[in-house]
Amino acid sequence: MSSADPSGVVDESPPRPCAAEEPRARLDLSIIIVSYNTRELLRNCLRSLRDSQGLVLEIIVVDNASSDGSADMVRADFPHVRLRAQTVNSWFCGGNNIGSAVARSDYVLLLNPDTEVSPDALPQMLRFLRENAGYSGVTAQLVYPNGAIQQTCARIPRFENLLLDYTLLGWLLPRRKKRRHAELVYADWDRASDRDVEAIPGSCTLLRRADAQLDADLLLYFPEEDLARRLGGQMRYLAAARIVHHEKSSTRNWLATRIFFRDMLVYARKHHRLLRMLLLWLLSRPLYWAMWLKNR
């Protein structure tokens, strides 16, 4: 049984009892996965969540109007999953907000569909957040399929970081750009040990449900930085909680580049005020046009 609402979302309830239908007190964790044309990656991700080491999970898949049969695959192969199939693309931030709005656990994990979760990762992350009230969120060690550790997590970018990294000022001041970027991304840290960080990756973000709302004005980029600014407090990186991250290539195209610059300006307007946003827009145009020419 499914029903459409005016927002373009089809709410599909599982045809048989599942963790999502358990009383809320029995749920340990709600997992929200926003998918767009990632059917096989999503399948592998959902399979990896079957072994949750005793946790009672609610899994919510928000499918952003995929054309590759992702929603049909979830219906057929994972009837215990709560599917929110959309008729329009609500993008990353909108999709996660749709999932968060219906999540029933007190803890919510925002997880990319191109991930595969090791059995002990979720219990470690959840235990840390439950036992450490002063932390806003926690993430895992993300690794490539070959085992190489991904360089996730960062400090909250200053306005200077935006200017040096995404305008011609970085070309004019290469040494300053390199130094500031190294500070931003914790270049002195190999990600093989636990660490307190300022911002954690949107591909794996465990939060309290009350905090699991992304900025609705953003589409794909800068939700991690915005969350870090809004929530305050520390985030935690757990090296022993391991998740394979394939880093799919569907966002490596001109449309994604356009959205990146658009979201950067939205973020700058919100956190650095209008005049600085206009300066960033002006100084970023040469780089934007150069990338447009390259992608013609």
Side-chain angles (χ1 to χ4, degrees), residues 78-92:
F78 301 93
H80 62 285
V81 168
R82 298 184 66 189
L83 175 64
R84 298 281 290 183
Q86 300 178 84
T87 58
V88 295
N89 190 346
S90 61
W91 303 98
F92 176 80

Side-chain angles (χ1 to χ4, degrees), residues 33-46:
I33 303 171
V34 178
S35 177
Y36 178 69
N37 290 334
T38 58
R39 183 182 61 195
E40 296 310 312
L41 290 169
L42 175 61
R43 188 198 307 275
N44 292 334
C45 178
L46 294 174

Side-chain angles (χ1 to χ4, degrees), residues 1-15 18 20-21 58-63 65 71 74-75 79-88 95 98-104:
M1 179 70 68
S2 65
S3 60
D5 65 32
S7 67
V9 179
V10 178
D11 187 6
E12 307 193 27
S13 300
C18 68
E21 295 171 331
E58 172 186 51
I59 303 174
I60 303 167
V61 170
V62 180
D63 183 70
V74 174
R75 293 186 192 101
H80 62 285
V81 168
R82 298 184 66 189
L83 175 64
R84 298 281 290 183
Q86 300 178 84
T87 58
V88 295
I98 288 169
S100 295
V102 299
R104 299 173 185 175

Side-chain angles (χ1 to χ4, degrees), residues 178-292:
K178 183 177 180 180
R179 184 170 65 254
R180 292 300 189 205
H181 188 76
E183 294 170 355
L184 177 69
V185 300
Y186 301 113
D188 60 339
W189 171 44
D190 62 4
R191 274 66 175 179
S193 59
D194 293 0
R195 181 164 179 165
D196 288 352
V197 296
E198 292 184 7
I200 57 181
S203 51
C204 178
T205 298
L206 180 59
L207 304 163
R208 294 174 181 84
R209 186 167 63 100
D211 297 329
Q213 281 289 313
L214 304 183
D215 188 337
D217 293 329
L218 298 170
L219 299 180
L220 281 172
Y221 299 98
F222 293 93
E224 305 97 329
E225 294 84 352
D226 178 76
L227 263 180
R229 283 183 175 274
R230 286 192 287 116
L231 298 182
Q234 289 290 341
M235 306 281 190
R236 186 69 170 177
Y237 171 95
L238 297 180
R242 206 171 208 217
I243 293 178
V244 175
H245 185 207
H246 291 269
E247 282 198 325
K248 63 183 176 62
S249 61
S250 63
T251 55
R252 298 170 189 167
N253 53 49
W254 174 239
L255 175 60
T257 301
R258 286 176 54 198
I259 293 172
F260 175 86
F261 279 92
R262 178 258 184 208
D263 282 351
M264 179 177 68
L265 295 174
V266 171
Y267 173 83
R269 172 66 178 87
K270 180 175 181 179
H271 295 292
H272 299 291
R273 306 294 179 89
L274 178 61
L275 289 180
R276 286 190 168 189
M277 183 273 282
L278 292 174
L279 176 63
L280 181 61
W281 175 86
L282 179 65
L283 295 179
S284 66
R285 289 306 88 186
L287 178 60
Y288 178 89
W289 292 327
M291 297 179 76
W292 175 77

